[in-house]
Amino acid sequence: MPNPSARSLTGLWCTAALLLGGPCSAAAAAHRSAVFDANCSMCHQLGAVGVPGQFPRLAGRVGKIASTAAGRSYLEHVVLYGMMGTITVDGTAIVGGVMPSFASLSNKDLAAALNYVASLDAAGKLHWKGPVFKPAAIARVRAGKPLSPRQVHRLRTATLGKGKR
Ligand code: HEC
């Protein structure tokens, strides 16, 4: 783990506990998602609070990006095809960060992960539900033209602009 904070130690502990099939009673995790915790939290951290300069905070940000149809489409492309290219989040550039493709997950699981992060406030606590990502919408993006991780980065710039988010 790049950041030896109490939170990432908690994340490591939870990952180990979940792998062993045991319970994970992390005080830090206010609201849980099986798909996110298993596939995304090792980078984005429990509660999707991120690591500045390395892994973008999704909590409190994705819900805003998802408030437009173009924003939702961008987010669906990110989880399906990954992303590569510098982005600036919380005033800090993430240089050389690579978001892997999660095309191996089902449309249902991808929708669940996106709905989870869209529902979180900046502190990683449950804030609101929706706008809702539907498995059918993920399926439509999957059936369309695949993008490279760099093309997804260009889609981000076209959708959100270069400004801080
Ligand atoms: C191996 C580490 C890693 C894993 C695992 C990972 N991500 Fe990411 N994610 C990143 C990085 C790094 C970026 C920023 C990429 C860049 O700078 O181009 C990112 C970017 C994103 C973004 C775009 C944020 C923005 O500001 O535009 C979303 C949404 C996202 N990830 C969601 C997820 C979800 C959902 C999962 C689990 C299904 C996941 N990530 C798993 C590393 C990861």
Side-chain angles (χ1 to χ4, degrees):
M1 275 295 150
N3 177 7
S5 67
R7 187 180 291 281
S8 54
L9 288 176
T10 304
L12 279 178
W13 159 247
C14 286
T15 306
L18 291 169
L19 283 175
L20 294 169
C24 164
S25 56
H31 177 63
R32 308 300 303 277
S33 152
V35 178
F36 181 87
D37 289 2
N39 297 284
C40 322
S41 69
M42 63 287 273
C43 291
H44 292 285
Q45 309 293 294
L46 287 178
V49 295
V51 178
Q54 297 185 53
F55 303 115
R57 171 174 65 89
L58 305 176
R61 297 182 52 250
V62 164
K64 288 177 192 157
I65 297 171
S67 64
T68 67
R72 288 193 291 280
S73 174
Y74 156 67
L75 293 164
E76 289 159 357
H77 280 82
V78 172
V79 292
L80 274 172
Y81 302 121
M83 182 163 69
M84 202 191 311
T86 300
I87 66 175
T88 299
V89 171
D90 293 333
T92 306
I94 295 172
V95 182
V98 177
M99 161 75 189
S101 157
F102 281 89
S104 58
L105 295 187
S106 68
N107 297 327
K108 195 169 155 240
D109 280 355
L110 290 177
L114 286 174
N115 279 326
Y116 168 68
V117 288
S119 75
L120 297 173
D121 68 15
K125 299 215 163 52
L126 185 63
H127 178 50
W128 61 309
K129 276 271 171 208
V132 184
F133 288 89
K134 298 208 170 65
I138 311 265
R140 277 195 294 279
V141 174
R142 203 192 280 270
K145 186 175 160 300
L147 298 188
S148 71
R150 293 231 176 254
Q151 286 174 316
V152 174
H153 182 258
R154 283 198 280 278
L155 178 63
R156 184 188 197 273
T157 305
T159 309
L160 307 183
K162 283 190 200 273
K164 294 173 186 171
R165 291 265 165 186

